[in-house]
Amino acid sequence: MTTIADSIVQTEALTKSISGKAVVNEVNIKIERGDIYGFLGPNGAGKTTTIRLLLGLTKPTSGTVRLFDRDIRNHRLDVLRKVGSLVEYPSYYGHLTAVENLEAVRRLLDVPKERIDDVLAIVRLTKDAGRQVKGYSLGMKQRLGIATALLGNPELLILDEPTNGLDPAGIQEIRELIISLPRTKGVTILISSHLLSEVEQMATRVGIIAKGSMVYQNSISHLREQAISRIRFTVNDPASAYPLLRSSGYEAEWDDRSLTIGRADNASTAEAVALLVKHHYDVYRVEEQTASLESLFLEMTGGERSL
Ligand SMILES: Nc1ncnc2c1ncn2[C@@H]1O[C@H](COP(=O)(O)OP(=O)(O)O)[C@@H](O)[C@H]1O
Ligand SMILES: [Mg+2]
């Protein structure tokens, strides 16, 4: 028996042009039930615009959005009932308490009163729930935003850069909260970020967008495998061994202790060792060097550091 994965978000050639420029360009997103999908890209890449398209907050120029396997054009209210979101900065009334803010949304959603205590506990705001929100730290406000997004028991939670502006402790807290959700509540999550390091520990899948186009979409483990392998040989005379490797077709670099070849698989590594030994070099060490995920991310997104 084959089980068909449960499609939660699927876009097809999703495109949004603003003043004739495609800020979201033929994007195909695929998210399945239980995924924590890290939606990555530098500032200005098109993440928020894509998220607004998913939520029906703006209309695509072309392409389609399916949530829970239904086209949002025909089933907007049905599907959005099952979605909780926090897009850019959460909105709240500063002079009201967290409970009062949640109560205002609860009435709109028409969920039971107990749900307020539940979501406050999930985001660990129970103790501060009776305080005016204007006295909250940024992290507490973000957590209140997530609590609001969770109020309607969503099956899909969409968080647009929820850790923006938080200190490392606040980032860690939000990360732990997010990791705990799918396990305990059966929620599928899309979380956007301009920092790979922020989502790589929690995402099961990642989509990377650059200048409006999706440049990568797959599991995080597949991304790690993509990190290009280089092999470093520590040899007795790298300067003279370097032209030997170059003339044999290797992409090589050298320093005073070692030679490094790029894009090396097992066969080319073995051949390089044989070549060096045949020419009487002493090969002291053969080591693999893996490019960091971060450098791969920067390469895919055009090398702009966003922080
Ligand atoms: N309403 C708008 N009018 C004009 N340009 C916009 C508008 N919304 C977004 N953009 C442009 O679209 C691009 C993508 O923006 P955005 O989706 O906010 O990116 P991200 O969330 O990845 O930082 C940017 O170049 C931005 O300036
Ligand atoms: Mg944004």
Side-chain angles (χ1 to χ4, degrees), residues 29 36 47 101 118 130 134 194 199 207 248 255 259 266 270 285:
I29 294 179
I36 299 180
K47 301 181 296 297
N101 270 284
D118 293 350
K134 65 182 172 198
H194 59 280
V199 304
S248 305
D255 59 34
L259 296 155
N266 283 344
R285 273 187 179 72

Side-chain angles (χ1 to χ4, degrees), residues 63 79 119 146 169 188 208 283 292 304:
V79 297
V119 295
I146 295 174
T188 303
I208 300 177
V283 181
S292 72
E304 302 144 34

